[in-house]
Amino acid sequence: MPVLQQQSKAAIVNVSSIVAFLPGKQTATYSATKAALHSYTISLRAALEDTNIKVFELMPPLVDTEFSAEIGGHNGIPASQVADEFVAGFETDNFEIHVGGTEPFYRLFLSNPAEALKALHQR
């Protein structure tokens, strides 16, 4: 933190996931860790509010990577799309960046968590 505070501008980017709000059937532990990271990010953002450090949270859906291959990553969005949407959010100070179509699920979660969970599992 001292190194970041010495900069004229600084940022922390935490990568959580839409499953922080909408856990998958097979991802209870992973979803719980992402929910904890989401909470931590909100707390950290509040703690650093009066500093030069911005705190962002990137919330992608399933991403097609070598790491996600075992869980059907080939059905996910390209990593380049995540990067492009992150940069767009970062440049506009969008501190919660929902990428790859996750925004509608997030909005549905805010209005009706049970329906959002159903919608996610029907995909």
CSV table of all heavy atoms in Angstrom, one decimal, residues 16 24 28 34 45 55 58-59 62 64 68 71 88-89 108 110 113 116 122-123:
chain,number,residue,atom,x,y,z
A,16,SER,N,-13.3,-11.0,-9.6
A,16,SER,CA,-14.2,-11.9,-9.0
A,16,SER,C,-15.0,-12.6,-10.1
A,16,SER,O,-14.4,-13.0,-11.1
A,16,SER,CB,-15.1,-11.2,-8.0
A,16,SER,OG,-16.0,-10.3,-8.6
A,24,GLY,N,-23.0,-21.5,-9.2
A,24,GLY,CA,-23.3,-22.6,-10.1
A,24,GLY,C,-23.5,-23.8,-9.2
A,24,GLY,O,-23.1,-23.9,-8.0
A,28,ALA,N,-19.9,-24.3,-5.5
A,28,ALA,CA,-20.3,-23.7,-4.2
A,28,ALA,C,-19.1,-23.0,-3.5
A,28,ALA,O,-19.1,-21.9,-3.1
A,28,ALA,CB,-20.9,-24.7,-3.3
A,34,LYS,N,-15.5,-16.1,-4.3
A,34,LYS,CA,-15.7,-14.9,-5.1
A,34,LYS,C,-16.7,-13.9,-4.4
A,34,LYS,O,-16.5,-12.7,-4.5
A,34,LYS,CB,-16.3,-15.2,-6.5
A,34,LYS,CG,-15.3,-16.0,-7.4
A,34,LYS,CD,-14.0,-15.2,-7.6
A,34,LYS,CE,-13.0,-15.9,-8.5
A,34,LYS,NZ,-11.8,-15.2,-8.7
A,45,ARG,N,-12.5,-0.5,-1.2
A,45,ARG,CA,-12.8,0.8,-1.9
A,45,ARG,C,-13.3,1.8,-0.9
A,45,ARG,O,-12.8,3.0,-1.1
A,45,ARG,CB,-14.0,0.5,-2.9
A,45,ARG,CG,-14.2,1.6,-3.9
A,45,ARG,CD,-15.3,1.3,-4.9
A,45,ARG,NE,-14.9,0.2,-5.7
A,45,ARG,CZ,-15.7,-0.9,-5.9
A,45,ARG,NH1,-16.8,-1.0,-5.3
A,45,ARG,NH2,-15.3,-1.9,-6.7
A,55,VAL,N,-10.2,1.4,-6.6
A,55,VAL,CA,-10.4,-0.1,-6.5
A,55,VAL,C,-11.5,-0.6,-7.4
A,55,VAL,O,-12.6,-0.2,-7.3
A,55,VAL,CB,-10.7,-0.5,-5.0
A,55,VAL,CG1,-10.8,-2.0,-4.9
A,55,VAL,CG2,-9.6,0.1,-4.1
A,58,LEU,N,-13.5,-6.7,-11.4
A,58,LEU,CA,-13.9,-7.3,-12.7
A,58,LEU,C,-14.7,-8.5,-12.5
A,58,LEU,O,-14.2,-9.4,-11.8
A,58,LEU,CB,-12.6,-7.6,-13.5
A,58,LEU,CG,-12.7,-8.2,-14.9
A,58,LEU,CD1,-13.4,-7.2,-15.8
A,58,LEU,CD2,-11.3,-8.5,-15.4
A,59,MET,N,-15.8,-8.6,-13.1
A,59,MET,CA,-16.8,-9.7,-12.9
A,59,MET,C,-17.1,-10.4,-14.3
A,59,MET,O,-18.1,-10.2,-14.9
A,59,MET,CB,-18.0,-9.3,-12.3
A,59,MET,CG,-17.8,-8.7,-10.9
A,59,MET,SD,-19.5,-8.3,-10.2
A,59,MET,CE,-19.0,-7.6,-8.7
A,62,LEU,N,-17.9,-17.3,-17.4
A,62,LEU,CA,-17.0,-18.3,-17.8
A,62,LEU,C,-16.1,-17.8,-19.0
A,62,LEU,O,-16.7,-17.2,-19.9
A,62,LEU,CB,-17.7,-19.6,-18.2
A,62,LEU,CG,-16.8,-20.8,-18.6
A,62,LEU,CD1,-16.0,-21.3,-17.5
A,62,LEU,CD2,-17.7,-21.9,-19.1
A,64,ASP,N,-13.0,-18.7,-21.8
A,64,ASP,CA,-12.4,-19.8,-22.5
A,64,ASP,C,-10.9,-19.7,-22.4
A,64,ASP,O,-10.2,-18.9,-23.1
A,64,ASP,CB,-12.8,-19.7,-24.0
A,64,ASP,CG,-12.2,-20.9,-24.8
A,64,ASP,OD1,-11.6,-21.8,-24.2
A,64,ASP,OD2,-12.4,-20.9,-26.0
A,68,SER,N,-9.9,-23.1,-17.6
A,68,SER,CA,-11.3,-23.5,-17.5
A,68,SER,C,-11.7,-24.6,-18.3
A,68,SER,O,-12.9,-25.0,-18.4
A,68,SER,CB,-12.1,-22.2,-17.8
A,68,SER,OG,-12.0,-21.9,-19.2
A,71,ILE,N,-14.0,-27.4,-16.9
A,71,ILE,CA,-15.4,-27.1,-16.6
A,71,ILE,C,-16.1,-26.5,-17.8
A,71,ILE,O,-17.1,-25.8,-17.6
A,71,ILE,CB,-15.4,-26.1,-15.4
A,71,ILE,CG1,-14.7,-24.8,-15.7
A,71,ILE,CG2,-14.9,-26.8,-14.1
A,71,ILE,CD1,-15.0,-23.7,-14.7
A,88,ALA,N,-12.3,-0.7,-21.2
A,88,ALA,CA,-13.4,0.2,-21.4
A,88,ALA,C,-13.9,0.7,-20.0
A,88,ALA,O,-14.1,1.9,-19.7
A,88,ALA,CB,-14.5,-0.3,-22.2
A,89,GLY,N,-14.1,-0.3,-19.1
A,89,GLY,CA,-14.6,0.1,-17.8
A,89,GLY,C,-13.6,0.8,-16.9
A,89,GLY,O,-13.9,1.8,-16.2
A,108,LEU,N,-30.9,-8.7,-12.7
A,108,LEU,CA,-32.0,-9.6,-12.3
A,108,LEU,C,-31.8,-10.0,-10.8
A,108,LEU,O,-32.7,-10.1,-10.0
A,108,LEU,CB,-32.1,-10.8,-13.2
A,108,LEU,CG,-33.2,-11.8,-12.9
A,108,LEU,CD1,-34.6,-11.1,-12.9
A,108,LEU,CD2,-33.1,-12.9,-14.0
A,110,LEU,N,-30.4,-8.4,-8.5
A,110,LEU,CA,-30.7,-7.3,-7.6
A,110,LEU,C,-32.2,-7.2,-7.3
A,110,LEU,O,-32.7,-6.9,-6.2
A,110,LEU,CB,-30.2,-5.9,-8.1
A,110,LEU,CG,-28.7,-5.8,-8.1
A,110,LEU,CD1,-28.3,-4.4,-8.7
A,110,LEU,CD2,-28.1,-5.9,-6.7
A,113,PRO,N,-33.4,-12.4,-6.7
A,113,PRO,CA,-32.4,-13.4,-6.7
A,113,PRO,C,-32.8,-14.8,-7.1
A,113,PRO,O,-32.0,-15.5,-7.8
A,113,PRO,CB,-31.9,-13.4,-5.2
A,113,PRO,CG,-32.3,-12.0,-4.7
A,113,PRO,CD,-33.6,-11.7,-5.5
A,116,ALA,N,-33.1,-15.0,-10.8
A,116,ALA,CA,-31.7,-14.9,-11.5
A,116,ALA,C,-31.0,-16.2,-11.4
A,116,ALA,O,-30.4,-16.7,-12.4
A,116,ALA,CB,-30.9,-13.8,-10.8
A,122,GLN,N,-30.7,-22.3,-16.4
A,122,GLN,CA,-31.4,-22.7,-17.6
A,122,GLN,C,-30.5,-22.5,-18.8
A,122,GLN,O,-30.9,-22.9,-19.9
A,122,GLN,CB,-32.7,-22.0,-17.7
A,122,GLN,CG,-33.7,-22.4,-16.7
A,122,GLN,CD,-35.0,-21.5,-16.7
A,122,GLN,OE1,-35.1,-20.6,-17.4
A,122,GLN,NE2,-35.9,-21.9,-15.9
A,123,ARG,N,-29.4,-21.9,-18.7
A,123,ARG,CA,-28.5,-21.6,-19.8
A,123,ARG,C,-27.9,-22.8,-20.4
A,123,ARG,O,-27.6,-23.8,-19.8
A,123,ARG,CB,-27.4,-20.6,-19.4
A,123,ARG,CG,-28.0,-19.2,-19.2
A,123,ARG,CD,-26.9,-18.3,-18.8
A,123,ARG,NE,-26.5,-17.7,-20.1
A,123,ARG,CZ,-25.4,-17.0,-20.3
A,123,ARG,NH1,-24.6,-16.9,-19.4
A,123,ARG,NH2,-25.1,-16.5,-21.5
